[in-house]
Amino acid sequence: MLRAVHFRDVATCVATANGLKVTVESAKCLQASAFIQAGIFQEFVVQEESVTFRINLTILLDCLTIFGTSSLPGTSTALRMCYCGYGYPLTLFLEEGGVVTVCKINTQEPEETLDFDFCSTNVVNKIILQSEGLREAFAELDMTSDVLQITMSPEKPYFRLSTFGNAGSAHLDYLKESDLMEVFQCNQTQTNRYKISLLKPSTKALALSCKVSIRTDTRGFLSLQYMIRNEDGQICFVEYYCCPDEDVAETEL
């Protein structure tokens, strides 16, 4: 889950009774959040209404994989995480095969995260796809293109992904009756362009997910919500918000 949002070193962590939210941002144009529900943990206790701190995500991932990325057959790594409050480090206790490692990671002053003001009442178009369909698209589209153009419409082409790279223009269309399409709720034709450099980090979440919800609002802001099922069948979500590419829109006007 954390790897799915690991495209910058520093992340903001918010713990509430519902679970853990880890948010990473880039250039005030992209925000990614991993939601790890309290039920994923065997025990999850938060003494305050909410606890917020910033942490180096690269170091946290290194500590979590200190015994390696995969355990030996018959063994598993147990994790206990503690945070005592403002100014204290995040302490990790990792145990595998009777060996205990303690990691203390310095926390930083929390900064306010971006508010993309993406509310469901302003959503114009929404589709839910099986992730394999979008994985194939990203494999086929020309990534030399600066932008990915997304068209969503109640009429043909319904859902179209377009790139404009060195080899020319490429389009990939999805029918609303496609087996890959689980939900199709498009109210008006909308075409927006997004910088591919901003969308590339989301392919980490796409690779882990089984379904993806794609929504756009009245401003053309994009929400990509990835549903990820862990080894125990529990569901977690990773959500990406991305601004449309204003430079392109202004040039075309």
Side-chain angles (χ1 to χ4, degrees):
M1 290 294 294
L2 295 181
R3 281 201 189 94
V5 296
H6 182 218
F7 55 89
R8 284 286 183 273
D9 280 340
V10 178
T12 300
C13 300
V14 181
T16 66
N18 294 324
L20 200 58
K21 178 183 175 184
V22 181
T23 301
V24 180
E25 297 178 334
S26 175
K28 296 192 176 180
C29 298
L30 177 70
Q31 183 184 81
S33 296
F35 301 91
I36 306 166
Q37 285 94 322
I40 296 292
F41 301 93
Q42 290 177 343
E43 187 180 343
F44 189 86
V45 179
V46 181
Q47 302 285 7
E48 298 173 16
E49 190 175 330
S50 72
V51 177
T52 306
F53 57 89
R54 293 172 84 217
I55 198 163
N56 188 305
L57 188 56
T58 306
I59 293 173
L60 176 57
L61 282 165
D62 285 346
C63 291
L64 288 171
T65 55
I66 205 158
F67 287 111
T69 51
S70 57
S71 299
L72 294 169
T75 65
S76 60
T77 304
L79 166 69
R80 183 171 173 235
M81 251 186 327
C82 303
Y83 176 66
C84 293
Y86 182 81
Y88 283 90
L90 179 71
T91 304
L92 275 62
F93 299 86
L94 297 112
E95 186 272 333
E96 184 178 298
V99 178
V100 177
T101 299
V102 180
C103 303
K104 293 187 177 183
I105 307 170
N106 288 336
T107 55
Q108 302 168 21
E109 182 91 27
E111 289 183 4
E112 202 168 321
T113 53
L114 294 170
D115 181 7
F116 277 79
D117 193 26
F118 196 100
C119 55
S120 55
T121 51
N122 293 331
V123 169
V124 177
N125 296 315
K126 172 186 176 180
I127 67 170
I128 297 177
L129 268 178
Q130 290 179 24
S131 295
E132 63 185 271
L134 209 55
R135 281 195 287 267
E136 288 170 8
F138 274 88
E140 291 177 21
L141 290 170
D142 185 354
M143 289 302 173
T144 63
S145 174
D146 288 334
V147 294
L148 174 68
Q149 181 174 286
I150 299 177
T151 301
M152 299 170 82
S153 172
E155 300 169 353
K156 284 188 176 181
Y158 303 118
F159 179 52
R160 168 177 284 181
L161 302 175
S162 307
T163 52
F164 312 92
N166 297 339
S169 302
H171 306 285
L172 194 62
D173 294 350
Y174 295 80
L175 295 173
K176 64 177 181 180
E177 301 86 4
S178 165
D179 292 339
L180 297 168
M181 194 80 68
E182 297 207 356
V183 173
F184 184 87
Q185 296 171 352
C186 289
N187 301 309
Q188 69 181 58
T189 301
Q190 204 179 30
T191 299
N192 296 292
R193 291 184 176 185
Y194 307 91
K195 281 191 164 66
I196 278 192
S197 59
L198 293 176
L199 292 179
K200 271 183 179 174
S202 73
T203 56
K204 291 182 177 181
L206 178 61
L208 298 168
S209 66
C210 51
K211 293 180 188 178
V212 56
S213 162
I214 303 168
R215 298 179 297 162
T216 52
D217 69 3
T218 50
R219 305 162 301 166
F221 280 53
L222 177 69
S223 160
L224 297 168
Q225 191 178 64
Y226 298 95
M227 189 174 97
I228 298 172
R229 186 176 279 111
N230 71 6
E231 293 170 355
D232 297 326
Q234 295 164 309
I235 300 296
C236 295
F237 291 94
V238 170
E239 188 157 41
Y240 276 77
Y241 290 121
C242 186
C243 298
D245 188 7
E246 292 175 0
D247 298 340
V248 173
E250 287 169 7
T251 307
E252 289 183 344
L253 290 170

